[in-house]
Amino acid sequence: MSAPVGDLAGQGASGADLGALSGSRGVLSEWDADPALGRVVLSVEQIARRVAELGKMITADYASRPPLLVGVLKGAFMFLADLAREIQLPLELDFMAVSSYGRATKTSGVVRILKDLDIDLTGRHVLVVEDILDSGLTLSYLRKSLLARGPESLAVCSLLVKRSVQPRPDLELAYVGFHIEPEFVVGYGLDVAERYRNLPDIRVYLAGEPA
Ligand code: IMP
Ligand code: MG
């Protein structure tokens, strides 16, 4: 007799096997054949290890005051999903969407709020979760906008910070995953013209401005 439809135990096992074959452990994947992608800046394992460390730090720092995590869409979606599971506190989540780049790989200097928060920030301990700081312009704008809403505290956790960023104490950058060279990178949520967000590791993007 064949296995019943929806045999989750069986599917789980095959899913895990496929992951081991196609993923991160030096085995060639479809991504390696993409000429637009350069070297791996951060591997799946490096990212996972650091996200777990950040989660531990945040768990300790916010033990007495569970945070409201504000994910900045879309780039931070994958980081936020992983980070939230590494924080062992009864936290809450909300999302904002901002756009600073449009389709280009250089900042336009214009930040727009495309989707605002649902939750009132008054008296809350807000932790903004960002994908990457390049010029710092997006975060600087976001910070002002959030501070005006009366949170009890406001801090920022960014997975990546480019070494081009001038140290800016005003940005309340409490947690940084990695400092990276000022190259354009994609993967683990980061895109170029909406592509490569699902790349599991973080790689240099080699091609020029997307067509
Ligand atoms: P900033 O305002 O210059 O700090 O840019 C921040 C935003 O630009 C990030 O939240 C990203 O969405 C995007 N960004 C900056 N650098 C990169 C990159 O290397 N790859 C993908 N997106 C980037
Ligand atoms: Mg982006």
Side-chain angles (χ1 to χ4, degrees):
M1 221 174 84
S2 61
V5 176
D7 178 352
L8 289 177
Q11 283 175 16
S14 62
D17 291 347
L18 282 175
L21 284 175
S22 65
S24 52
R25 288 179 177 75
V27 181
L28 280 185
S29 73
E30 292 293 321
W31 300 109
D32 296 316
D34 186 333
L37 295 177
R39 67 172 203 290
V40 175
V41 176
L42 294 163
S43 69
V44 169
E45 290 80 6
Q46 283 175 300
I47 296 169
R49 215 175 305 132
R50 186 63 182 144
V51 171
E53 286 172 4
L54 291 172
K56 278 208 183 70
M57 287 189 246
I58 294 167
T59 302
D61 294 350
Y62 284 86
S64 58
R65 43 172 192 141
L68 169 62
L69 300 192
V70 169
V72 184
L73 296 173
K74 301 174 194 172
F77 85 96
M78 207 173 276
F79 176 41
L80 180 67
D82 287 343
L83 182 67
R85 283 176 285 186
E86 298 289 348
I87 300 174
Q88 295 178 23
L89 295 171
L91 54 75
E92 287 175 79
L93 288 172
D94 204 351
F95 296 93
M96 269 182 106
V98 298
S99 167
S100 58
Y101 276 27
R103 288 173 63 86
T105 54
K106 294 248 160 55
T107 186
S108 64
V110 179
V111 178
R112 285 186 301 147
I113 293 186
L114 305 177
K115 182 224 171 288
D116 211 335
L117 298 170
D118 299 324
I119 298 179
D120 182 7
L121 299 190
T122 315
R124 306 304 309 273
H125 295 285
V126 176
L127 181 59
V128 177
V129 179
E130 259 279 31
D131 52 357
I132 186 166
L133 247 82
D134 186 355
S135 67
L137 183 89
T138 307
L139 184 57
S140 166
Y141 173 87
L142 213 65
R143 224 190 120 258
K144 278 194 212 109
S145 164
L146 297 179
L147 273 178
R149 307 174 193 200
E152 182 68 29
S153 69
L154 180 70
V156 177
C157 174
S158 186
L159 176 66
L160 306 175
V161 174
K162 288 193 185 172
R163 291 193 210 277
S164 49
V165 180
Q166 303 293 325
R168 289 184 47 172
D170 61 306
L171 290 184
E172 335 262 358
L173 199 52
Y175 309 93
V176 173
F178 303 92
H179 291 271
I180 62 165
E181 296 308 314
E183 301 169 295
F184 200 84
V185 294
V186 293
Y188 196 66
L190 291 153
D191 72 308
V192 58
E194 298 303 328
R195 292 189 56 209
Y196 299 114
R197 292 196 196 278
N198 61 326
L199 176 66
D201 48 24
I202 294 176
R203 303 187 187 202
V204 173
Y205 178 73
L206 295 175
E209 305 289 321

